[in-house]
Amino acid sequence: MKKIVFSVFSLILLVVLVSCEDSTLPDLPDMEESMDVDAFEIGDEETTDDSDQTPVNDSGEPDGDGDETNIPDDDPAETPDTEEPDETPDEEVSEPEITASHLIVATVGGYDVPMSGHVYYAKDEKLNDFKEIPVAGGMGSTDGADLNVSAWENGFAVLGRHDSSSLYFFTPDFEFEQEIKIKPDTYINMQDMVYNPYKNEFIVSTLNYDNPDSKKTYSNKIFTLKKSSSEATVSMLEISDNEAASPAKMKIIGKKLFLALQNLNTQATSAKGEIAVIDLEDYSVERIALPTTNPTGKIEYNKNVDKNHLYLTTTGNWKQGDGALLQVNIDTYEVKKVLSESEEENNILDGDFVDLSIADNGDFFIIFSNNILYNDNSLLLYKPNDGKITKIDSNINAFAANPIDYSSVSGKVYYFVDEKSDTYLKSFDTKTKAEEKILLEYGPAALRVKYDFE
């Protein structure tokens, strides 16, 4: 039977699952398939009373003058190389026109199956021409495999996560280029990676870093990487005085990098939620306090729908009804709760937010875990302006590193579906409502739409 792939935060559930292994569990009541909520106007500037919209400094106190909190530079070993790239971009990095889109999918044989990572692509999103990119020896580590995918204008990469410190770089033509080890023989658990055009280098977020007990101790650092065909220069950048800030998913918007901070403790629970906002030119940092904890999903931004705000899901602590879907103003940093989890029986939001994608028509597609013990995970369609949430698919695999993505070219949403021991890659066309799926040979790790530009 195919092994099920879990993300890092799913490990929290193991103790609960073991304790229930010999128990007889009651049948779940039927979940409502749709629900009305308050209509929400996309781009609404209003903020909630319980939101903390003031950037905070490293002491946790509000900055009275609103100034940025600068990164300490008294330790050269912890300060990244600030050398200017050979080619300095214009004042604003322009957004070239998209010419094509492709689908990248990473799979693994299992969390504990060494070097079992694979990567596939569907050129022009043609699922009937799904192909593997050969990587000699596989991807992952000698202890196991867990992967995420990062894409940018001139290529893409597969990130080794659990028990791996390797980045696998690929060309835009889907050819394997090189492997780079960020911290050889060290458990760092990479989460996400973006390309910084202002410094011609990559930024990598990790939950852990080199530490005597790094598998239990979460980090307050991210890595910067200058890459060439012959060598790579790696530096670390401290983003918070909180040693357990736990950097996770990232998104570049203009000259700012928005980075989710989970703030995990040794039991992998979260006491608060934050977003670090990093200036891509000088790496100065300020932070946004969130009204809910544990931002685990990707930071979603669709300028065709709302150019003023980003959106993200916070999980809170599992099965506590304390997570939410949040809206954040990218200029003022004001935060608003859009939807909140519920503990009401049969409520469609009785469970945990996991991740989301926003289609160009304004529809929100949300991966939601209705009941974690029964693995009852759903794909929800949320129409903010109509105030309507509808369950449109079930048996969703919610625990891949990046379980859902949307293509602005095809108008399709991609996600994983489990059917008994099999997992499928599935697409939903937001224009025609047509569905398509293909069987995966191994367990799902992550998926990503990659764009080509003019």
Side-chain angles (χ1 to χ4, degrees):
M1 179 180 292
K2 180 183 301 179
K3 291 182 179 290
I4 299 175
V5 180
F6 294 97
S7 67
V8 173
F9 52 79
S10 67
L11 294 176
I12 304 169
L13 310 173
L14 293 181
V15 175
V16 179
L17 292 173
V18 170
S19 65
C20 296
E21 184 176 358
D22 298 326
S23 303
T24 301
L25 300 173
D27 293 334
L28 286 176
D30 292 335
M31 182 70 65
E32 295 291 342
E33 296 296 320
S34 64
M35 185 179 72
D36 292 323
V37 295
D38 292 337
F40 171 72
E41 183 179 353
I42 294 293
D44 185 5
E45 298 291 340
E46 183 183 354
T47 57
T48 54
D49 293 337
D50 59 351
S51 300
D52 185 346
Q53 293 103 29
T54 304
V56 296
N57 57 32
D58 285 330
S59 67
E61 297 297 328
D63 285 336
D65 55 5
D67 291 341
E68 292 178 341
T69 301
N70 292 322
I71 295 298
D73 57 3
D74 53 347
D75 185 355
E78 299 292 351
T79 303
D81 183 7
T82 58
E83 180 182 351
E84 292 296 325
D86 294 336
E87 296 183 7
T88 302
D90 296 333
E91 180 68 17
E92 291 290 343
V93 176
S94 61
E95 296 185 10
E97 183 179 351
I98 297 173
T99 58
S101 58
H102 319 286
L103 185 65
I104 311 295
V105 176
T107 67
V108 295
Y111 220 37
D112 57 352
V113 181
M115 304 303 295
S116 62
H118 300 264
V119 62
Y120 301 81
Y121 72 98
K123 186 176 175 62
D124 298 319
E125 302 183 51
K126 296 179 179 177
L127 296 191
N128 58 356
D129 194 22
F130 202 57
K131 296 180 180 179
E132 181 176 5
I133 306 172
V135 178
M139 294 179 288
S141 74
T142 55
D143 295 317
D146 185 21
L147 306 173
N148 199 0
V149 177
S150 171
W152 59 96
E153 182 175 352
N154 295 316
F156 63 96
V158 174
L159 289 69
R161 285 165 32 99
H162 172 61
D163 274 329
S164 172
S165 65
S166 291
L167 292 167
Y168 303 87
F169 286 88
F170 299 81
T171 70
D173 296 324
F174 308 107
E175 295 180 352
F176 177 50
E177 186 179 41
Q178 67 183 125
E179 176 186 0
I180 294 176
K181 290 185 178 293
I182 294 290
K183 294 283 287 185
D185 304 317
T186 302
Y187 186 92
I188 60 174
N189 201 345
M190 290 179 285
Q191 296 294 293
D192 204 357
M193 184 173 77
V194 296
Y195 172 68
N196 179 3
Y198 294 95
K199 289 182 174 289
N200 189 27
E201 63 188 17
F202 295 91
I203 300 173
V204 183
S205 64
T206 67
L207 283 182
N208 313 82
Y209 66 98
D210 192 5
N211 188 286
D213 193 16
S214 62
K215 289 194 179 184
K216 293 183 179 179
T217 304
Y218 296 96
S219 79
N220 60 346
K221 295 179 174 66
I222 56 178
F223 290 89
T224 60
L225 166 68
K226 283 189 177 294
K227 167 184 166 295
S228 70
S229 58
S230 59
E231 61 182 10
T233 302
V234 178
S235 302
M236 285 195 295
L237 174 67
E238 184 176 298
I239 56 170
S240 174
D241 280 349
N242 176 16
E243 294 184 353
S246 315
K249 303 296 178 64
M250 299 185 286
K251 182 71 174 181
I252 289 178
I253 304 174
K255 292 184 179 181
K256 298 176 182 178
L257 173 64
F258 292 84
L259 167 61
L261 302 180
Q262 291 184 249
N263 290 286
L264 300 174
N265 60 25
T266 54
Q267 287 74 46
T269 59
S270 174
K272 62 180 177 179
E274 292 180 300
I275 296 176
V277 185
I278 303 172
D279 187 294
L280 293 176
E281 293 186 305
D282 61 13
Y283 285 152
S284 59
V285 179
E286 53 188 335
R287 297 193 312 281
I288 307 169
L290 302 176
T292 52
T293 66
N294 204 7
T296 54
K298 64 177 171 292
I299 295 175
E300 181 73 347
Y301 177 70
N302 188 330
K303 65 184 178 72
N304 298 319
V305 174
D306 186 352
K307 65 181 181 180
N308 298 318
H309 300 89
L310 63 82
Y311 296 81
L312 76 160
T313 56
T314 62
T315 302
N317 293 302
W318 288 104
K319 296 305 297 175
Q320 299 299 312
D322 56 351
L325 168 62
L326 303 179
Q327 178 201 62
V328 181
N329 188 295
I330 63 175
D331 295 314
T332 67
Y333 305 156
E334 294 176 331
V335 182
K336 177 175 182 174
K337 281 186 184 180
V338 178
L339 294 173
S340 296
E341 293 174 0
S342 171
E343 293 184 288
E344 179 185 355
E345 190 176 31
N346 290 335
N347 190 303
I348 199 171
L349 295 179
D350 178 15
D352 296 285
F353 285 103
V354 177
D355 207 349
L356 85 154
S357 284
I358 303 174
D360 285 347
N361 63 2
D363 287 346
F364 284 52
F365 290 85
I366 300 170
I367 300 291
F368 195 82
S369 179
N370 295 122
N371 189 304
I372 208 64
L373 292 180
Y374 290 79
N375 201 30
D376 181 15
N377 304 316
S378 304
L379 179 64
L380 304 181
L381 170 60
Y382 171 44
K383 292 182 174 292
N385 294 335
D386 296 339
K388 191 79 171 180
I389 304 175
T390 304
K391 178 179 176 180
I392 63 172
D393 210 343
S394 57
N395 299 317
I396 305 299
N397 185 293
F399 300 114
N402 194 60
I404 187 170
D405 212 359
Y406 169 76
S407 169
S408 289
V409 173
S410 67
K412 294 180 180 179
V413 175
Y414 295 95
Y415 54 98
F416 299 113
V417 173
D418 293 326
E419 296 182 8
K420 296 183 179 179
S421 61
D422 294 326
T423 298
Y424 293 84
L425 169 66
K426 192 168 182 179
S427 70
F428 175 83
D429 193 313
T430 61
K431 302 171 184 175
T432 67
K433 313 306 179 187
E435 299 179 354
E436 185 179 5
K437 68 179 183 180
I438 59 171
L439 178 66
L440 298 177
E441 186 175 357
Y442 302 100
L447 58 86
R448 184 79 64 178
V449 175
K450 182 200 178 304
Y451 298 108
D452 292 342
F453 297 91
E454 188 176 52

